[in-house]
């Protein structure tokens, strides 16, 4: 791990305005840095030896701290120094030259983690026993440095069988989450699925696999992929949604193929008049319903593309169905269809207008779809709350509604006020005049 | 603002130094590479370039895509050398990937330790929008040390800090990481420019960033999205055929006066300003040549500048007005306020439902659902199921993944059977007086452990009584940033801790917030720097919160410096929860 980085900590800490001095000779500079690094590592070696005397205390596990770190291949070697002070005097003299390098990298988990954080040279190879590996991992977790935790996990992934690693991660929540995130980022789906399986996190596993459908571009392959998803162990609710997803795409493929053909053959007026802007593939259910209300209105329930069929298949609520249908038919200015949506017949054969949502909302939607005043006023009239009715009527200039309402309220004053607002000589002006001069009416004011 | 109560607030330190440090380091890094031709941004698509030496400035979110770039080149028979400069830090995982892909030698790496970008006199950003998802959703602590290093840098240049308060697990870790770095480095005695530090995790308060912003700067961010202190105003605003990029900071004199104002006050201010400007221009008539000369050389430039800024902000205000009235902003705000107050929840739910049914903005629907869940301590299972189903129908079934993320983070959850107690408690709480409610909370919270917005709201008086008139021209507390309907929890905590000089007396609050609070005092010299407080948000903060802190600062004669991993708002926060990138 070579790190081409100046000691910027010094830089940050030192005088406020000091700028860098640049070395023109790159190679010289690198060499300089290398020697500096070498010097530094020697110094830290000496310091660490010093420190070790200070921390020759008993750790939580009851073993001497300095000693504990020296488990592994050098155990016998380090044990041969009964008196730690001996080590202070040129320990390298006692060692064969070939081992010198190994000795340098013989850092405790704590030191190793610290070196990694500081971007210094480190080595993980010497953590070979499971116990050492886990000590290293726990130390990384204690240091709160996700970058180092992941680095250690990558090493463990390479050097431990997955069964063992998974087993150890179960009790280490923080490390586990880092591992999952790492696998997600590098796209190791299979391993991730195994991990979730081994931990009985079946719902996570199902979602993880389902997520992969986002990577499938071709619609037929995507449909097959979703079909395959149906067998995954989702929660009951999610299983229904995934089933819907599969059914939806399956139908969209059929509808798309059919409509494309119809559109290009020029058989149907609706496609000529309103050419499709985009394909229906991969659109949400409601968008599909809208599309169906737009292009396939009035088809029999039996066809996949009919609004009624979509409504039934995807259990769409009355309210939702009405809203979507209304939007589509209003867009086409099919006011007759709009009217039919609200008309119900009672057992005596009388018709009445009903709506699962307030008529003020209906007016709002119609107005956004540029409905003419003649259409709007029918619905404004159906608003129950009188004040709301009048304010809507004023907003959308439904004169008749306002005039009739004031007349019904026998509110002469308001009618006079309103006369002042409309154009003199217009039909609504004349209508007001007519009413005001009607001597049959008994005004309240 | 007209009501700057105290004028004795200390001066802020100069943060331009941070920029110079960062720039110098980048120049140094780049000079080490001979003749770099071009800088590239890494995206998931083939890069068309002809140059031989490329230098990548790397957005770390996509680090795992880099090998694709190199291998695509190789496939075309292009053999190049690559340099990755990571900012602010190198990922071991990425180096490992380069090694595994066999491109380690072709690619060398470096680090640009660019931690802090000063966005304004009192805002410093780490520019790490990914922090929120990485830490709070994925549980990855890769940025914790970065946060510690940022604090370390600020400490070395502007410290020493005498008091550090914090709340949240991540804050605690960042604090420890910083202390460790302090101990590793050398200590120098210097005059402190920043006295106190407050660290806060974003998940301590998720309600505030999900509320619609109505303070000018926040609203501009919600609608136009401010990036790195810069906003692009569309032709609609500039009333020309071009978009204009504008820096929004205290240098813009017009902006500086309206940024913290409630939007309803902005129009009045701008028109007054326009009248003044007119008067200033009108002075010209009746001037003799000499006076005219002085006018042109001394005043005209300033007036023109002001004129330009004024027309921009008037344009922006108009455009925002138009957008907001189109989508029935009033009704939306009413629903939000009802949720915060815990009032007419059924009506709120049907409003949200209709919002979903009509396929109005997906993020907006999600925001309302999350607010509902956070304030009500989760949705009733029946509501959860039905709203989720309708959401998936309207916006796409793949949002199953989004729901799973929101649940993981606790933004949108289903009430567990045990938690109905909390609901009962909040209902009972409404009937009895506060003191009894407090006792009830004690009794219930031992049973239901979930955090509790209602109880916190009562404890800290976050939601003022709605029957009182709130005069937005003369704000009386931080609630003005939400039209007087809600004092942001995050800012209220900061106020309380500073007032009490610690967490004493807030035990119940911290318990409801899931603890991890700390207060460390290093009682050395008491200087004026005590009144300069650095607030570090881990996971992002909103412009509204910054406005609230500025207000608090003016009231108490303090100065706040906000350090944040990124400026956030509801849309950014929720978009980071989406899984739709393959």
């Amino acid at each position: 791990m070579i790190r081409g980085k100046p000691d910027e900590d010094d830089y940050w800490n030192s005088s406020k305005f000091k700028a860098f001095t640049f070395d023109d000779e790159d190679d010289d500079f690198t060499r300089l840095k290398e020697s500096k690094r070498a010097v530094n590592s020697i110094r830290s070696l000496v310091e660490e030896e010093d420190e070790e005397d200070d921390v020759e205390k008993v750790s939580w596990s009851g073993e001497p701290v300095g000693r504990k770190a020296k488990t592994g291949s050098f155990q016998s070697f380090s044990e041969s120094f009964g008196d730690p002070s001996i080590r202070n005097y040129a320990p390298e003299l006692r060692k064969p030259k070939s081992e010198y390098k190994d000795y340098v990298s013989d850092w405790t988990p704590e030191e190793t983690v610290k070196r990694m954080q500081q971007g210094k040279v480190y080595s993980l190879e010497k953590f070979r026993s499971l116990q050492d590996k886990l000590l290293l991992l726990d130390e990384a977790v204690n240091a709160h440095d996700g970058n180092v935790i992941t680095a250690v996990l990558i090493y463990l992934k390479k050097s431990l069988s997955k069964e063992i690693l998974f087993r150890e991660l179960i009790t280490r929540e923080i490390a586990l989450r880092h591992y999952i995130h790492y696998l997600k980022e590098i796209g190791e789906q299979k391993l991730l699925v195994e991990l979730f399986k081994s931990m009985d996190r079946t719902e996570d596993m199902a979602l993880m696999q389902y997520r992969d459908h986002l990577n499938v571009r071709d619609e037929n392959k995507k449909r097959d992929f979703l079909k395959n998803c149906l067998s995954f162990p989702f929660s009951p609710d999610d299983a229904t949604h995934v089933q819907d997803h599969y059914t939806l795409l399956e139908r969209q493929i059929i509808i798309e193929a059919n409509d494309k053909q119809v559109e290009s053959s020029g058989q149907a007026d609706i496609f000529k008049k309103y050419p499709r802007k985009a394909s229906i593939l991969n659109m949400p259910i409601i968008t599909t319903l809208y599309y169906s209300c737009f292009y396939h209105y009035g088809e029999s329930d039996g066809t996949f593309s009919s609004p009624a069929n979509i409504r039934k298949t995807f259990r769409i609520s009355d309210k939702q169905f009405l809203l979507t249908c209304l939007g589509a038919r209003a867009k086409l200015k099919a006011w007759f269809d709009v009217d039919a949506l609200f008309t119900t017949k009672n057992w005596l054969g009388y018709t009445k207008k009903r709506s699962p949502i307030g008529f003020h909302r209906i007016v709002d939607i119609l107005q956004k779809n540029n409905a003419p005043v003649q259409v709007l006023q029918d619905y404004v009239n159906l608003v129950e709350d009188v004040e709301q009715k009048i304010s809507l009527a004023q907003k959308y200039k439904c004169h008749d509604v306002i005039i009739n309402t004031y007349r019904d309220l026998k509110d002469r004053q308001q009618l006079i006020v309103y006369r002042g607002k409309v154009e003199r000589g217009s039909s609504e002006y004349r209508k007001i005049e007519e009413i005001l001069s009607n001597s049959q009416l008994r005004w309240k004011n | 603002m007209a009501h700057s109560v105290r004028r004795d607030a200390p001066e802020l330190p100069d943060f331009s130094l941070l920029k110079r440090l960062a720039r110098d380091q980048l120049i140094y890094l780049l000079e080490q590479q001979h003749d770099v031709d071009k800088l590239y941004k890494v995206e998931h698509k083939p890069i068309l370039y002809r140059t031989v030496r490329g230098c990548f400035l790397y957005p770390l979110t996509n680090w795992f895509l880099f090998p694709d770039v190199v291998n695509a080149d190789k496939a075309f028979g292009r053999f190049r050398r690559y340099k990755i400069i990571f900012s602010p830090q190198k990922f071991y995982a990425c180096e490992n990937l380069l090694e595994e892909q066999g491109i380690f030698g072709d690619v060398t790496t470096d680090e640009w330790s660019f931690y802090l970008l000063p966005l304004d006199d009192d805002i410093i950003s780490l520019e790490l929008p990914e922090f929120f998802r990485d830490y709070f959703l994925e549980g990855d602590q890769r940025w914790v040390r970065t946060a510690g290093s940022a604090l370390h840098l600020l400490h070395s240049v502007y410290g020493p800090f005498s008091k550090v308060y914090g709340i949240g697990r991540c804050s605690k870790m960042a604090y420890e990481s910083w202390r460790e770095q302090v101990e590793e480095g050398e200590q120098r005695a210097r005059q402190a420019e920043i006295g106190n530090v407050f660290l806060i995790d974003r998940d301590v308060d998720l309600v505030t960033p999900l509320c619609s912003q109505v303070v000018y700067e926040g609203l501009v961010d919600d609608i136009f999205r401010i990036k790195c202190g810069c906003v692009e105003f569309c032709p609609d605003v500039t009333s020309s055929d071009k978009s204009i990029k504008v820096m929004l900071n205290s240098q813009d004199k017009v902006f500086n006066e309206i940024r913290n104002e409630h939007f309803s006050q902005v129009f009045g201010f701008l028109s007054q300003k326009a009248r003044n400007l007119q008067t200033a221009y009108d002075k010209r008539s009746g001037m003799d040549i000499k006076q005219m000369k002085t006018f042109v050389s001394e005043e005209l430039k300033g007036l023109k500048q002001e004129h330009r800024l004024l027309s921009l902000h008037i344009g922006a205000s108009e455009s925002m007005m138009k957008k907001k009235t189109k989508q029935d902003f009033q009704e939306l705000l009413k629903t939000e306020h009802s949720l915060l107050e815990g009032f007419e929840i059924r009506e709120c739910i049907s409003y949200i439902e209709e919002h979903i049914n009509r396929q109005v903005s997906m993020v907006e629907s999600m925001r309302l659902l999350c607010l509902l869940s956070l304030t009500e301590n989760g949705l009733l299972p029946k509501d959860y199921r039905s709203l989720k189903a309708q959401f998936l129908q309207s916006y796409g079934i793949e949002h199953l993944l989004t729901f799973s993320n929101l649940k993981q983070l606790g933004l949108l959850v289903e009430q567990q059977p045990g938690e109905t107690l909390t609901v009962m408690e909040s209902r009972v709480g409404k009937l009895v007086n506060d003191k009894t409610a407090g006792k009830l909370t004690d009794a219930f919270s031992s049973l239901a452990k979930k955090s509790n917005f209602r109880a916190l709201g009562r404890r800290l008086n976050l939601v003022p009584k709605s029957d009182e008139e709130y005069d937005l021209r003369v704000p009386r507390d931080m609630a003005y940033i939400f039209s007087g309907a809600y004092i942001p929890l995050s800012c209220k905590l900061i106020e309380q801790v500073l007032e009490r000089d610690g967490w004493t007396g807030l035990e119940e609050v911290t318990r409801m917030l899931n603890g991890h609070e700390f207060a460390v005092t290093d009682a050395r010299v008491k200087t004026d720097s005590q009144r300069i407080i650095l607030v570090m948000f881990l996971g992002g903060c909103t412009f509204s919160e910054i406005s609230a802190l500025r207000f608090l600062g003016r009231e108490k004669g303090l100065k706040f410096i906000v350090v944040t991993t990124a400026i956030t708002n509801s849309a950014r926060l929720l978009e980071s929860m989406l899984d739709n990138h393959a």
Side-chain angles (χ1 to χ4, degrees):
Chain A
M1 189 72 30
I2 308 253
R3 187 175 148 109
K5 180 184 154 183
D7 262 340
E8 79 261 67
D9 279 3
D10 288 349
Y11 172 62
W12 295 116
N13 288 326
S14 61
S15 141
K16 257 178 148 180
F17 295 103
K18 194 183 88 182
F20 278 113
T21 49
F22 300 116
D23 246 323
D24 290 328
E25 281 304 309
D26 226 348
D27 287 343
D28 274 356
F29 189 75
T30 324
R31 235 173 283 141
L32 183 71
K33 272 198 293 183
E34 266 162 21
S35 35
K36 192 174 169 194
R37 197 180 301 123
V39 172
N40 280 346
S41 66
I42 292 169
R43 195 178 57 202
S44 66
L45 176 71
V46 175
E47 281 164 4
E48 277 152 17
E49 293 294 278
D50 284 340
E51 271 166 29
E52 237 165 293
D53 282 346
D54 298 336
V55 291
E56 195 78 22
K57 292 167 193 158
V58 174
S59 79
W60 53 270
S61 62
E63 283 182 76
V65 172
R67 225 24 99 69
K68 181 154 182 58
K70 300 223 179 285
T71 50
S73 52
F74 297 105
Q75 196 161 20
S76 58
F77 173 70
S78 57
E79 272 174 357
S80 70
F81 296 105
D83 178 5
S85 63
I86 293 170
R87 275 183 290 163
N88 280 341
Y89 307 105
E92 59 277 5
L93 292 181
R94 293 181 160 237
K95 279 179 62 124
K97 264 228 159 75
S98 58
E99 278 186 27
Y100 180 74
K101 206 165 174 285
D102 295 336
Y103 184 59
V104 170
S105 63
D106 190 15
W107 291 299
T108 65
E110 203 186 344
E111 285 157 359
T112 305
V113 167
K114 192 148 263 176
R115 295 188 72 85
M116 291 171 86
Q117 285 190 313
Q118 292 165 344
K120 290 183 183 158
V121 179
Y122 68 94
S123 160
L124 301 180
E125 270 78 46
K126 75 144 213 139
F127 296 94
R128 300 194 69 172
S129 73
L130 178 61
Q131 195 199 6
D132 282 356
K133 288 178 202 287
L134 295 175
L135 275 174
L136 179 67
L137 181 61
D138 293 341
E139 189 52 47
V141 170
N142 285 339
H144 317 313
D145 189 333
N147 200 8
V148 175
I149 299 174
T150 307
V152 171
L153 284 167
I154 291 171
Y155 171 65
L156 298 195
K157 178 172 176 268
K158 284 178 184 160
S159 63
L160 281 175
S161 83
K162 57 188 179 223
E163 289 78 16
I164 306 291
L165 180 57
F166 292 176
R167 187 191 71 199
E168 295 300 335
L169 284 178
I170 288 180
T171 53
R172 291 173 169 80
E173 175 68 16
I174 292 173
L176 174 64
R177 295 186 72 183
H178 280 82
Y179 192 58
I180 293 172
H181 189 215
Y182 170 70
L183 294 181
K184 267 194 202 168
E185 280 191 318
I186 60 167
E188 284 217 30
Q189 284 278 1
K190 273 192 192 137
L191 194 56
L192 207 45
V193 169
E194 281 180 63
L195 176 66
F196 283 139
K197 205 177 215 163
S198 78
M199 294 182 172
D200 264 342
R201 287 170 61 171
T202 49
E203 280 180 33
D204 288 327
M205 180 179 87
L207 281 171
M208 183 80 235
Q209 287 170 290
Y210 167 76
R211 186 178 183 278
D212 238 10
H213 84 267
L214 294 166
N215 296 319
V216 186
R217 290 271 160 262
D218 177 79
E219 66 265 19
N220 289 308
K221 281 189 190 143
K222 183 178 272 197
R223 179 198 53 206
D224 297 343
F225 185 95
L226 288 170
K227 189 174 184 183
N228 193 36
C229 286
L230 298 179
S231 60
F232 298 159
F234 291 103
S235 68
D237 280 347
D238 285 359
T240 323
H241 296 310
V242 175
Q243 171 73 53
D244 280 353
H245 199 170
Y246 165 67
T247 317
L248 178 69
L249 185 59
E250 191 186 32
R251 298 199 174 184
Q252 283 174 340
I253 291 172
I254 297 168
I255 298 171
E256 177 68 22
N258 178 60
D259 289 3
K260 213 172 180 175
Q261 196 259 324
V262 173
E263 186 175 29
S264 61
S265 69
Q267 288 163 357
D269 283 347
I270 181 88
F271 291 111
K272 266 190 256 171
K273 221 168 149 193
Y274 304 95
R276 302 187 315 148
K277 287 192 189 103
S279 114
I280 193 63
L281 295 172
N282 299 315
M283 293 296 166
I285 292 173
I286 299 309
T287 313
T288 311
L289 176 65
Y290 183 91
Y291 176 95
S292 145
C293 291
F294 198 93
Y295 290 110
H296 298 277
Y297 205 64
E299 281 179 13
S300 74
D301 298 9
T303 59
F304 279 163
S305 51
S306 72
N309 194 305
I310 291 175
R311 175 189 196 167
K312 201 170 138 230
T313 311
F314 300 106
R315 308 165 306 279
I316 291 166
S317 72
D318 293 351
K319 201 165 131 185
Q320 173 74 78
F321 183 79
L322 180 93
L323 277 170
T324 313
C325 207
L326 178 66
R329 298 323 287 171
K331 186 95 191 164
L332 287 167
K333 314 218 174 300
W335 309 121
F336 183 77
D337 292 339
V338 169
D339 198 58
L341 278 174
F342 301 100
T343 311
T344 50
K345 263 192 190 146
N346 70 6
W347 60 279
L348 285 172
Y350 294 117
T351 59
K352 197 179 178 224
K353 285 215 170 98
R354 270 172 208 271
S355 163
I357 36 180
F359 278 106
H360 64 286
R361 285 274 173 222
I362 308 291
V363 171
D364 191 37
I365 294 168
L366 288 171
Q367 194 273 331
K368 282 196 171 122
N369 282 292
N370 303 317
V373 176
Q374 293 86 323
V375 174
L376 271 186
Q377 66 185 11
D378 284 352
Y379 294 91
V380 174
N381 245 332
L382 291 165
V383 175
E384 274 183 31
D385 184 276
V386 176
E387 264 177 50
Q388 199 172 28
K389 188 200 280 191
I390 288 182
S391 86
L392 275 173
Q394 284 179 338
K395 198 165 156 194
Y396 302 129
K397 307 215 172 356
C398 306
H399 304 296
D400 278 356
V401 177
I402 299 169
I403 297 166
N404 293 341
T405 311
Y406 286 145
R407 184 196 58 201
D408 296 347
L409 290 171
K410 308 201 187 322
D411 195 336
R412 192 179 140 88
Q413 293 306 321
Q414 287 288 359
L415 207 52
I416 292 170
V417 171
Y418 197 69
R419 184 177 58 182
K421 287 182 189 162
V422 299
E423 205 181 317
R424 190 171 267 273
S426 61
S427 64
E428 47 273 12
Y429 186 87
R430 267 178 282 139
K431 185 171 175 181
I432 297 175
E433 290 279 79
E434 221 170 88
I435 295 169
L436 286 175
S437 60
N438 185 343
S439 55
Q440 305 267 303
L441 282 166
R442 300 182 62 190
W443 300 102
K444 74 169 180 190
N445 50 24
Chain B
M1 269 194 185
H3 51 272
S4 28
V5 188
R6 298 177 55 160
R7 299 189 173 277
D8 59 340
E11 284 296 304
L12 289 169
D14 174 20
F15 293 119
S16 58
L17 172 67
L18 294 170
K19 271 192 210 171
R20 279 185 48 188
L21 284 171
R23 192 196 53 202
D24 287 353
Q25 207 198 4
L26 181 64
I27 291 171
Y28 172 73
L29 283 171
L30 291 178
E31 287 200 359
Q32 280 193 312
Q33 326 301 322
H34 295 291
D35 43 75
V36 166
D37 293 324
K38 208 167 175 278
L39 294 173
Y40 296 99
K41 199 175 162 187
V42 176
E43 282 160 311
H44 201 132
K45 58 182 175 203
I47 296 170
L48 301 168
Y49 52 84
R50 286 189 212 97
T51 54
V52 181
R53 280 166 193 273
C55 187
F56 290 86
L57 267 180
Y58 221 86
L60 278 166
T61 31
N62 290 342
W63 60 266
F64 41 88
L65 298 178
F66 191 73
D68 298 351
V69 174
V70 179
N71 286 327
D73 271 353
K74 283 196 172 173
F76 280 102
R78 291 187 288 235
F79 295 95
R80 301 194 164 103
R81 300 224 154 263
Y82 307 84
K83 180 88 182 181
I84 305 181
I85 298 176
F86 291 95
S87 175
Q89 69 180 31
K90 206 185 273 198
F91 279 176
Y92 287 108
C94 183
E95 287 191 321
N96 180 64
L97 188 68
L98 298 176
E99 190 179 337
E100 278 181 2
Q101 296 289 319
I103 52 176
F104 194 82
D106 306 329
V107 183
T108 48
T109 59
D110 226 323
E111 269 184 332
W112 177 29
S113 314
F114 179 30
Y115 297 116
L116 298 164
L117 176 72
L119 292 179
D120 208 338
D121 298 341
D122 59 351
I123 312 174
I124 305 174
S125 168
L126 274 74
E127 291 298 306
L128 290 175
E130 55 271 55
F131 188 104
F132 184 75
R133 184 179 168 118
D134 281 345
Y135 179 78
F136 292 105
L137 179 66
E138 309 285 1
D140 193 318
Q141 302 172 0
R142 58 168 55 140
W143 304 118
V144 173
R145 188 170 162 96
T146 318
S149 303
L151 207 51
H152 181 49
L153 173 56
L154 288 166
H155 180 255
S156 332
V157 184
Y158 304 103
F161 309 143
S162 39
K163 278 176 192 156
V164 183
Y165 312 103
I167 182 158
R169 253 177 68 88
C170 190
S171 293
K172 191 86 186 275
M173 291 193 289
Y175 168 77
E176 282 167 14
S177 170
W178 160 55
R179 285 311 309 172
E180 217 168 85
Q181 293 177 56
V182 169
E183 278 151 31
E184 281 162 21
E186 50 177 316
Q187 300 267 22
R188 281 168 308 107
R190 55 184 306 287
Q191 184 65 38
E193 288 179 82
I194 298 174
N196 298 345
V197 175
F198 194 105
L199 298 164
I200 182 166
D201 282 20
R202 183 69 272 175
D203 73 345
V204 166
D205 174 14
L206 288 167
V207 170
T208 305
L210 289 179
C211 293
S212 291
Q213 304 195 70
V214 284
V215 162
Y216 188 72
E217 190 167 12
L219 195 55
V220 171
D221 189 37
D222 272 1
I223 295 182
F224 301 106
R225 300 218 176 191
I226 302 174
K227 287 177 198 135
C228 287
C230 194
V231 71
E232 187 167 346
F233 281 134
C234 48
D236 185 28
V237 172
T238 58
S239 43
S240 67
D241 49 359
K242 267 186 299 190
S243 292
I244 304 182
K245 275 198 173 170
V246 191
M247 291 290 285
L248 291 181
N249 55 36
S250 54
Q251 301 296 310
D252 177 339
K253 294 283 172 269
V254 176
F255 176 68
N256 199 35
E257 286 188 77
I258 53 174
R259 67 195 306 186
N260 301 313
E261 292 285 347
H262 188 274
F263 189 64
S264 63
Q265 304 305 308
V266 170
F267 266 124
F269 175 85
L270 288 177
S271 61
Q272 180 59 46
K273 200 89 183 158
R275 274 198 295 276
N276 295 349
L277 192 67
Q278 188 62 52
T279 325
Y281 271 129
D282 287 349
K283 275 201 307 191
R284 282 174 307 177
S285 59
M287 278 184 186
D288 59 30
I289 292 285
K290 202 179 159 207
Q291 284 168 320
M292 188 64 105
K293 206 174 156 192
T294 353
F295 176 80
V296 171
S297 63
E298 283 168 16
E299 282 179 63
L300 193 60
K301 200 175 162 223
L303 289 177
K304 274 191 170 161
Q305 164 84 346
E306 199 178 323
H307 188 168
R308 197 182 64 85
L309 293 171
L310 202 52
S311 60
L312 260 182
H313 289 295
I314 290 174
S317 303
E318 273 174 352
S319 163
M320 292 195 288
M321 263 313 241
K322 250 188 262 162
K323 287 204 173 86
K324 287 301 183 190
T325 41
K326 209 165 88 189
Q327 47 166 280
D328 305 315
F329 196 43
Q330 284 306 327
E331 211 172 334
L332 184 76
L333 285 181
K334 209 185 113 209
T335 305
E336 269 177 45
H337 294 169
S338 299
L339 288 174
L340 291 167
E341 226 183 308
F343 182 63
E344 295 184 331
I345 295 302
R346 275 290 128 200
E347 280 80 349
C348 294
I349 292 177
S350 41
Y351 178 84
I352 299 172
E353 202 170 52
E354 201 184 312
H355 207 270
I356 294 170
N357 288 162
R358 289 172 75 172
Q359 290 184 298
V360 195
S361 148
M362 187 267 291
V363 171
E364 199 82 319
S365 291
M366 206 189 329
R367 182 173 74 83
L368 291 169
L369 284 176
C370 292
L371 265 181
L372 173 68
S373 171
L374 287 168
T375 53
E376 285 289 290
N377 236 345
L379 275 61
L380 294 171
K382 170 175 74 73
D383 292 333
Y384 181 82
R385 221 167 298 147
S386 136
L387 289 166
K388 178 175 170 182
Q390 295 184 63
F391 189 99
L392 299 179
Q393 288 186 340
S394 275
Y395 304 113
I397 295 165
E398 63 277 12
H399 284 295
L400 269 181
L401 300 163
T402 314
F403 274 84
S404 152
N405 289 343
L406 293 173
K407 191 173 181 176
Q408 162 91 25
L409 210 146
L411 273 169
L412 178 53
V413 295
E414 202 176 336
Q415 278 173 13
Q416 299 307 314
E419 284 172 277
T420 36
L421 279 172
T422 342
V423 180
M424 196 171 88
E425 168 244 351
S426 78
R427 293 228 175 93
V428 176
K430 263 176 230 151
L431 302 172
V432 295
N433 65 36
D434 278 355
K435 211 171 165 191
T436 337
K439 277 185 195 148
L440 277 170
T441 313
D442 283 339
F444 281 112
S445 55
S446 53
L447 294 166
K449 227 186 145 214
K450 260 273 158 181
S451 74
N452 210 320
F453 181 77
R454 297 265 174 267
L456 281 167
R458 271 196 306 277
R459 264 290 122 143
L460 294 167
N461 278 322
L462 298 180
V463 183
K465 292 200 174 57
S466 60
D467 45 355
E468 288 169 38
E469 267 304 306
Y470 197 99
D471 187 354
L472 290 166
R473 274 171 304 174
V474 198
R476 56 166 182 263
D477 53 25
M478 293 186 281
Y480 92 92
I481 65 158
F482 292 122
S483 316
Y486 165 60
I487 299 174
L489 170 58
S490 52
C491 303
K492 185 73 179 184
L493 276 176
I494 295 166
E495 179 208 85
Q496 288 293 309
V497 170
L498 291 177
E499 220 163 71
R500 294 159 192 264
D501 193 10
W503 295 95
T504 334
L506 295 169
E507 290 80 5
E508 202 201 324
V509 170
T510 58
R511 196 168 43 75
M512 284 191 278
L513 290 171
N514 209 9
H516 296 289
E517 76 281 6
F518 58 94
V520 188
T521 311
D522 179 359
R524 269 179 286 190
V525 262
K526 294 233 171 196
T527 59
D528 208 30
S529 68
Q530 288 286 341
R531 304 222 316 272
I532 298 196
I533 296 131
L534 189 146
V535 180
M536 187 175 197
F537 284 89
L538 294 152
C541 88
T542 63
F543 280 120
S544 292
E545 284 167 311
I546 297 176
S547 290
L549 288 176
R550 286 182 185 136
F551 175 86
L552 186 64
R554 277 193 303 273
E555 294 279 298
K556 311 255 176 195
L558 305 170
K559 275 275 165 73
F560 287 96
I561 299 157
V562 171
V563 179
T564 176
T565 51
I567 296 287
T568 194
N569 61 21
S570 55
R572 290 194 195 99
L573 204 128
L574 292 172
E575 279 161 12
S576 76
M577 292 294 107
L578 304 181
D579 252 351
N580 48 11
H581 58 282

